[in-house]
């Protein structure tokens, strides 16, 4: 299937993904949420843009909603692995819990999760949507260093890695993450995710059954907890005014 804007490209997606393409400036995440009840699992919405890799995928979990939100971590793992597949040597891809992706400390983009409003926490939701946005090229027109906390793939040496390449890689790595979850349980996904968190000496992370982040420190018996649900309601990396990653 061909992307109709702004460039004619062909995306090669593995089964069972079905591609839906949108014009530039449309919202992949919002559109995926809108069509999720009709199109179902495997629908991948892609926006053809020069400056961003923007896409969203529909999932249909079998677990109660309170546990199914952990699918967000599978999406984040797949997104990080897709970036690492094209990363220059020695580049560090890290995650600010729960949703912000950085390269060598610079904010690159992140992921978000949607689900049906009012859905009971103790029942499987009819759908989830994982959306992602990664800055490929800086469009500010300003010199490098003006926004030292933000970055783009082009600035980090990801030569010739466009939105289509990253979307295709994400789809493949998402299938691998889901397969690992089905075979080995969620712990395989949880471990892969916490490996991307900034490391601190004597600190150990674990993902709880409901998706909360558990933080344990060597020599202490108390366990810290960061709650996932409220954190997902407003993505930390997303600028609500521009609709893109923060600068």
């Amino acid at each position: 299937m061909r992307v109709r804007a702004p460039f004619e490209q062909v995306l090669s997606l593995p089964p069972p993904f079905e591609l839906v393409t949108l014009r530039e400036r449309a919202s992949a995440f919002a559109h995926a949420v809108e069509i999720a009840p009709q199109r179902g699992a495997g629908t991948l919405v892609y926006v053809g843009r020069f400056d961003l890799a923007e896409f969203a995928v529909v999932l249909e979990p079998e677990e109660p909603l309170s546990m199914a939100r952990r699918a967000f971590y599978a999406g984040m793992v797949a997104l990080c692995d897709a970036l690492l597949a094209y990363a220059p040597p020695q580049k560090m891809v890290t995650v600010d819990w729960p949703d912000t992706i950085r390269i060598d400390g610079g904010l690159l983009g992140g992921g978000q999760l949607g689900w049906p409003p009012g859905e009971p926490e103790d029942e499987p939701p009819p759908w989830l949507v994982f959306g992602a946005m990664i800055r490929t090229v800086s469009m500010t027109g300003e010199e490098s260093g003006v926004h030292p906390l933000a970055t783009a793939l082009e600035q980090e040496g990801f030569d010739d890695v466009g939105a289509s390449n990253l979307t295709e890689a994400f789809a493949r790595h998402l299938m691998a993450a889901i397969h690992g979850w089905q075979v080995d349980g969620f712990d395989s996904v949880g471990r892969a995710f916490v490996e991307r968190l900034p490391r601190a000496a004597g600190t150990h992370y674990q993902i709880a059954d409901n998706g909360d982040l558990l933080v344990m420190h060597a020599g202490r018996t108390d366990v810290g907890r960061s709650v996932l649900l409220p954190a997902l309601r407003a993505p930390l990396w997303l600028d609500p005014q521009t609709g893109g990653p923060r600068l």
Side-chain angles (χ1 to χ4, degrees):
M1 299 180 68
R2 290 193 172 272
V3 178
R4 293 186 293 275
F7 306 105
E8 288 290 323
Q9 299 172 338
V10 176
L11 266 66
S12 177
L13 301 177
F17 291 100
E18 294 186 6
L19 181 65
V20 174
T21 62
L22 299 179
R23 296 281 183 178
E24 187 177 0
R25 303 304 177 188
S27 169
F29 181 75
H31 189 72
V33 167
E34 180 182 351
I35 68 174
Q38 293 78 38
R39 297 296 296 262
T43 301
L44 191 148
V45 180
Y46 171 84
V47 177
R49 296 184 60 164
F50 173 73
D51 58 328
L52 292 172
E54 182 183 354
F55 50 86
V57 63
V58 180
L59 308 171
E60 291 183 359
E62 298 180 354
E63 298 178 321
L65 178 57
S66 61
M67 300 177 65
R69 289 191 188 93
R70 295 181 300 175
F72 174 76
Y73 293 114
M76 291 295 290
V77 167
L79 192 54
C80 288
D81 287 347
L83 287 166
L84 286 169
Y86 291 103
Q90 309 304 319
K91 284 294 179 182
M92 294 289 294
V93 178
T94 59
V95 176
D96 290 353
W97 185 89
D99 58 8
T100 303
I101 291 184
R102 295 182 182 273
I103 291 187
D104 288 351
L107 192 152
L108 189 70
Q112 56 185 319
L113 191 73
W115 58 91
E119 197 67 23
E121 291 286 315
D122 58 352
E123 296 181 9
W127 52 266
L128 297 173
V129 168
F130 176 84
M133 194 179 293
I134 295 295
R135 187 162 31 224
T136 55
V137 176
S138 176
M139 299 291 285
T140 63
E142 298 170 327
E143 294 182 4
S144 178
V146 174
H147 300 285
L149 299 182
T151 193
L153 294 183
E154 182 185 52
Q155 293 173 308
E156 298 296 335
F158 284 69
D159 296 333
D160 299 324
V161 180
S164 59
N165 303 119
L166 192 61
T167 304
E168 292 168 351
F170 167 82
R172 294 191 296 269
H173 286 290
L174 181 62
M175 292 299 296
I178 292 175
H179 177 73
W181 188 343
Q182 293 172 337
V183 172
D184 301 322
F186 176 77
D187 283 350
S188 64
V189 175
R191 288 193 301 269
F193 177 83
V194 299
E195 287 177 358
R196 297 293 165 212
L197 297 176
R199 308 310 300 172
T203 302
H204 175 70
Y205 301 104
Q206 184 177 337
I207 305 299
D209 288 344
N210 67 348
D212 292 353
L213 178 69
L214 305 180
V215 184
M216 292 147 282
H217 302 280
R220 293 168 50 178
T221 59
D222 60 309
V223 177
R225 179 182 290 262
S226 296
V227 182
L228 179 64
L229 179 55
L232 290 177
R233 297 193 186 280
L236 298 175
W237 56 270
L238 184 63
D239 186 332
Q241 294 184 345
T242 66
R246 295 182 185 274
L247 293 174

